[in-house]
Amino acid sequence: MSKPTQTPPFAATRKAIAEALAEIDGLLPGSVVVRYMRCGKAGCGCKADPPVLHGPYIQWTRTVQGKTVTRYLSQEQLERYRPWFDNAHRLKDLVTKLEIASLQALETVETSTPPRRPRHTEG
């Protein structure tokens, strides 16, 4: 009779995460904010009480080679690229979950298997 194969700990979790990662087809890193601002003109409505601010200004900010880069987007561009911005957040979340599942698997295996002494070789 053959010995049943043992499934590695958290294998199903890691497989599900890998499948979810495979579904991501594109992503855009960084953050998107929508701003309403005041200008510098003295008689402008943005200085009134209550103010009528200028905007919306949609800003996509990310880091490129250690420098912050900001690009303004139209509402149409934001709607078109929103799935890619969402995918970037989803990717980070999935990678974190994969790390946690892998660490838990390692801890499960390491605590159930006694540590082996390293072999010393004489040279």
Side-chain angles (χ1 to χ4, degrees):
M1 190 179 265
S2 66
K3 186 177 175 182
T5 339
Q6 189 175 11
T7 305
F10 300 94
T13 301
R14 293 193 319 272
K15 183 179 179 189
I17 293 169
E19 289 171 358
L21 286 168
E23 293 174 5
I24 296 175
D25 70 339
L27 57 89
L28 290 172
S31 59
V32 175
V33 293
V34 178
R35 297 180 189 252
Y36 291 84
M37 300 185 231
R38 297 178 196 267
C39 71
K41 296 180 184 175
C44 186
C46 66
K47 304 283 193 298
D49 188 21
V52 180
L53 301 176
H54 301 280
Y57 298 105
I58 303 166
Q59 295 176 316
W60 168 34
T61 303
R62 60 196 172 104
T63 303
V64 177
Q65 296 178 349
K67 296 190 181 216
T68 302
V69 176
T70 299
R71 178 177 173 178
Y72 287 91
L73 303 175
S74 67
Q75 186 64 44
E76 186 267 327
Q77 287 173 315
L78 176 61
E79 290 168 16
R80 187 171 57 223
Y81 296 123
R82 184 171 302 280
W84 286 6
F85 292 121
D86 293 343
N87 282 346
H89 294 291
R90 186 166 179 235
L91 175 67
K92 287 180 184 179
D93 183 50
L94 289 169
V95 168
T96 299
K97 288 178 180 176
L98 183 58
E99 288 174 350
I100 291 168
S102 299
L103 288 169
Q104 288 174 335
L106 177 127
E107 290 300 321
T108 300
V109 170
E110 293 300 319
T111 56
S112 66
T113 308
R116 293 177 26 197
R117 295 177 115 189
R119 288 184 169 185
H120 291 2
T121 57
E122 293 184 31

